[in-house]
Amino acid sequence: MVVEEPFILYNDGTYGNISFKNEDSIYKQKNDSVDFKDQLYYGLGGYYEVKGDTIEVDTYMNYPLFITLIKRYYKIIDRESLFFFKEIWVTKHGAEEEPYDRYVFYELIPNKRLPPSTKFRSKLKKWIWEDENDWKNYKKHTRRQ
């Protein structure tokens, strides 16, 4: 069985990989009042979009000389489950590598005490935004928080 690191989906479209500083936290995660703010390491950040019954995620890997786009696809099974089925790496020249098929089921666990989405700094980068006005509005919104 493949064990994948957990991730957070925020209402503002932010996606972020996380890992727990203390593995015991994994067993507490089903309690929606557990405060994870000081128990997490933050991994890749990006954004997601729901298209029909699929969640499409774009994350970015920053290498010293270039940035690679990683596209991930999750099928929505129901309100409590996702099925991860594909990952594509897009190189700096825009060429897609062969899709990497992995099959992993995820259980969705609501939590009311999450760290702010700005912990995943990708959304703070101007280059990630297609529309410059959306980026400016996002920056204004994060300054007010």
Side-chain angles (χ1 to χ4, degrees):
M1 178 176 150
V2 176
V3 177
E4 296 293 323
E5 288 187 354
F7 56 87
I8 298 173
L9 298 173
Y10 289 92
N11 290 334
D12 68 358
T14 301
Y15 168 93
N17 283 96
I18 57 171
S19 58
F20 295 99
K21 291 179 181 178
N22 179 350
E23 287 298 315
D24 291 339
S25 297
I26 293 171
Y27 302 105
K28 296 182 202 173
Q29 67 183 337
K30 292 188 180 185
N31 182 343
D32 71 352
S33 64
V34 172
D35 188 352
F36 288 117
K37 292 176 187 169
D38 297 322
Q39 299 183 39
L40 300 177
Y41 291 116
Y42 302 97
L44 295 178
Y47 62 91
Y48 73 93
E49 186 175 359
V50 178
K51 293 184 178 178
D53 65 350
T54 302
I55 296 175
E56 295 182 11
V57 175
D58 287 349
T59 62
Y60 299 87
M61 182 78 71
N62 291 312
Y63 292 104
L65 299 176
F66 62 93
I67 298 169
T68 298
L69 167 65
I70 303 167
K71 301 179 82 51
R72 294 179 175 160
Y73 298 87
Y74 299 84
K75 169 110 167 110
I76 301 169
I77 304 298
D78 55 36
R79 294 179 58 81
E80 299 174 355
S81 308
L82 295 178
F83 177 64
F84 174 74
F85 65 92
K86 182 170 41 175
E87 178 172 275
I88 300 171
W89 288 51
V90 181
T91 65
K92 65 180 180 175
H93 302 292
E96 291 186 2
E97 295 181 4
E98 283 293 314
Y100 178 55
D101 298 329
R102 293 188 294 176
Y103 306 108
V104 181
F105 282 96
Y106 284 91
E107 180 180 0
L108 295 175
I109 301 168
N111 188 289
K112 298 173 186 163
R113 303 184 72 184
L114 294 172
S117 64
T118 53
K119 289 284 190 178
F120 300 97
R121 300 196 178 277
S122 294
K123 288 190 84 169
L124 300 176
K125 308 278 186 202
K126 186 176 182 179
W127 53 261
I128 201 171
W129 295 85
E130 290 179 38
D131 185 322
E132 186 174 344
N133 289 328
D134 288 343
W135 178 75
K136 288 178 182 177
N137 290 334
Y138 180 77
K139 291 291 283 183
K140 286 178 189 174
H141 176 73
T142 55
R143 276 188 233 127
R144 283 182 269 167
Q145 290 181 341

